[in-house]
Amino acid sequence: MSTGRSVTPMGPAELVQAAAMARRFYLEGKSKIQIAEEFGVSRFKVARVLETALERDLVRIEIRVPAELDAERSDALRARYGLRHAVVVESPADAADDAPDPENLGEVAADLLGELVHEGDVLGLAWGRSTIHMAAALHRLPPCTVVQLTGVYDAGTAERGSVEAVRRAAQVSGGEAHPIYAPMLLPDSATAAALRGQTGIARAFDYFDKVTVAAVSIGSWAPGISTVYDMLTEEERAHYASLGAAAEMSAHLFDAEGRRIGRDLGERCITVEADRLRRIPEVVAIAGGLRKAAAIGAVLRSGLVTSLVTDTAAADHLLLETGPGPRPALDRADPDGG
């Protein structure tokens, strides 16, 4: 289809000059002013030549990222929720709506931590299948201290869960490890308080205010998709459901609007407090799949998370959500403030 503009062929001198200017600008990183001085023309002339080089296909610009990463969705998600980083990976082609988090989320999150963690940082890891997969995939981390942010799902699985994840991350970084050898959920607040006072656990808690980067998982309020849900009795589940529980992160419950509910549950748990979590400069949530999409949205609205690693199935749901726009996550709003 004609644009109505006549395209005058470029002569050989013009082609050579355009190619030279394009090389200086795109490959050598020179500014338009520097190129103008070299060729004895105005910077506006340089700008026109570079624009013509693109229009005439003399220069082709490609933005290439690994096939598993969806750059367009990532940027859209970051902008919509006011995140510092959003990384969206392709969902498996045959993934069902109730499929668990894609395992490659952990691999991508491991690479992201390699970017975000700097020497001397304190890295916090909360219990979660996604964070465990991430720790297993770690292959580079600068020297840093690694601390466990929550107790374990079951004290008998510590070697295969968050304790091992902390040890693995510390081994990769060459830094100190501060694991927590205790269950996440206790029968009552008194037992939890007594455990928090034990030397090893208290030492880990002392590091919470020093954490600079944290990795957390997100669960939906449903069986098999939330560690806390699976640990509670039927009566307790019904109680928190009646309060509007829609998501869980590090033993903290949230309703669909991102407000924290069921604070009494936190008193029975060995976990980083919500206010301490909010003060951590970088909190990376790792969660994906359509079954977790609504829960991810709720946690993003809580103000506790700054970055997200997810998949296309969850991202599409989050980008299509209607209603009032979410609060920018980087505002770090207090979820207890209403």
Side-chain angles (χ1 to χ4, degrees):
M1 181 175 67
S2 174
T3 63
R5 293 177 55 189
S6 59
V7 179
T8 304
M10 296 178 72
E14 290 178 305
L15 285 168
V16 170
Q17 185 185 66
M21 288 184 176
R23 177 175 293 278
R24 303 290 194 280
F25 186 72
Y26 292 109
L27 299 183
E28 298 176 13
K30 291 188 176 180
S31 70
K32 292 174 184 176
I33 293 176
Q34 289 175 313
I35 297 170
E37 291 175 350
E38 178 182 347
F39 286 87
V41 299
S42 71
R43 61 186 177 88
F44 302 105
K45 168 71 172 179
V46 174
R48 287 196 299 272
V49 170
L50 293 174
E51 182 180 352
T52 300
L54 285 170
E55 292 175 348
R56 303 295 181 85
D57 220 19
L58 186 62
V59 173
R60 296 182 182 182
I61 298 176
E62 291 184 316
I63 300 174
R64 307 176 72 177
V65 296
E68 68 174 352
L69 299 182
D70 192 307
E72 186 175 350
R73 283 185 176 92
S74 298
D75 188 55
L77 200 61
R78 178 200 57 76
R80 174 167 173 75
Y81 286 88
L83 295 164
R84 185 172 290 119
H85 304 284
V87 182
V88 178
V89 306
E90 290 287 344
S91 301
D94 57 349
D97 289 352
D98 60 350
D101 295 21
E103 289 194 11
N104 59 344
L105 288 187
E107 298 170 6
V108 173
D111 289 338
L112 179 60
L113 279 195
E115 292 182 53
L116 300 181
V117 177
H118 298 91
E119 184 172 353
D121 276 349
V122 177
L123 172 62
L125 299 181
W127 196 98
R129 296 177 183 88
S130 296
T131 52
I132 291 170
H133 289 154
M134 179 210 66
L138 283 170
H139 56 84
R140 65 182 177 94
L141 270 182
C144 64
T145 299
V146 186
V147 61
Q148 193 170 322
L149 296 178
T150 65
V152 297
Y153 173 48
D154 183 334
T157 64
E159 292 301 315
R160 301 188 300 277
S162 45
V163 170
E164 182 55 32
V166 169
R167 287 175 172 169
R168 165 67 181 167
Q171 180 184 38
V172 172
S173 73
E176 294 182 0
H178 294 276
I180 293 177
Y181 296 96
M184 182 188 294
L185 179 66
L186 281 304
D188 52 66
S189 58
T191 305
L195 276 178
R196 291 189 202 105
Q198 289 188 357
T199 303
I201 297 174
R203 186 180 299 118
F205 268 64
D206 286 342
Y207 272 93
F208 287 178
D209 287 330
K210 304 173 186 176
V211 174
T212 50
V213 181
V216 300
S217 296
I218 295 173
S220 298
W221 196 243
I225 322 178
S226 164
T227 299
V228 172
Y229 182 98
D230 290 340
M231 288 191 288
L232 295 174
T233 65
E234 287 291 346
E235 183 179 357
E236 290 170 328
R237 294 168 186 167
H239 167 66
Y240 293 118
S242 72
L243 298 179
E248 175 261 318
M249 179 181 69
S250 303
H252 299 294
L253 306 184
F254 306 88
D255 66 12
E257 299 303 316
R259 293 183 291 259
R260 198 160 70 95
I261 62 171
R263 297 172 207 174
D264 59 311
L265 179 64
E267 296 174 1
R268 296 170 50 195
C269 293
I270 302 297
T271 185
V272 60
E273 300 94 327
D275 193 54
R276 273 176 156 175
L277 194 60
R278 185 168 57 89
R279 293 198 300 267
I280 296 174
E282 183 73 80
V283 179
V284 181
I286 311 162
L290 191 57
R291 67 179 188 169
K292 284 189 178 181
I296 295 169
V299 171
L300 292 182
R301 294 184 188 92
S302 74
L304 297 180
V305 168
T306 60
S307 298
L308 174 68
V309 178
T310 191
D311 68 340
T312 52
D316 285 344
H317 176 92
L318 292 167
L319 291 171
L320 289 174
E321 281 190 334
T322 58
R327 295 180 297 187
L330 289 178
D331 282 357
R332 310 310 296 276
D334 184 352
D336 293 343

